[in-house]
Amino acid sequence: MLPDVLAWGLRLVFCGTAAGPESARLGAYYAGPRNAFWPTLAEAGFTPGLLRPAEYARLRDHRIGLTDLSKTGRGMDRDLSPGDFDIDRFWAAMAYWSPRAIAFTSQEAGALALRRRKRDMAFGAQPAAPGRPAIFVLPSPSAANGHWARMRHHWHDCARATGFA
């Protein structure tokens, strides 16, 4: 659905599950009108100011990348099937581009990519693995996440740990 925003020398790649309905319609990452992704990037210090969803490719200027685990599915996580996800493609891309860190933008994305049960996924920095970038699991910035207000601090922690803040 949405093209990867990847390059060599990235400090961090944000990875979600799939393009949400509004993102798919507009052709831009995290484009839902109440999605907190873009304001949180600025607030936490990942970017010096607020970017609009249509400006997603400008994240490369800040050494930040974007991708999703599904490049064929779209919609809410509950609307996707296991066949929509290509975890091997994701890890091959990360091995090729070698970012310093990866931040999954939901517990679901982290669980899928790390092949763990969602209920066993803790938010924040994950245990280090030899030969892999630093891994963070962040709470979803989606408006559907009713726990966002009390969990957004994980985004700030990630910004500090990756040298953005």
Side-chain angles (χ1 to χ4, degrees), residues 9 31 78 85 94 99-100 120-121 158:
R78 67 178 175 264
F85 301 104
M94 294 304 98
R100 279 199 221 156
D120 295 335
M121 289 297 316
C158 178

Side-chain angles (χ1 to χ4, degrees), residues 64-140:
I64 296 172
L66 293 169
T67 191
D68 290 307
L69 297 176
S70 174
K71 290 300 185 184
T72 58
R74 66 178 183 188
M76 302 293 286
D77 289 349
R78 67 178 175 264
D79 301 328
L80 302 169
S81 68
D84 289 326
F85 301 104
D86 190 345
I87 308 305
D88 293 336
R89 180 210 67 87
F90 167 75
W91 285 115
M94 294 304 98
Y96 181 78
W97 295 109
S98 298
R100 279 199 221 156
I102 300 166
F104 295 103
T105 61
S106 71
Q107 196 175 32
E108 181 74 18
L112 286 166
L114 299 172
R115 292 177 166 89
R116 295 188 199 152
R117 292 184 303 197
K118 184 176 170 182
R119 68 180 176 183
D120 295 335
M121 289 297 316
F123 289 108
Q126 302 299 299
R132 283 230 172 136
I135 304 284
F136 298 85
V137 174
L138 305 175
S140 173

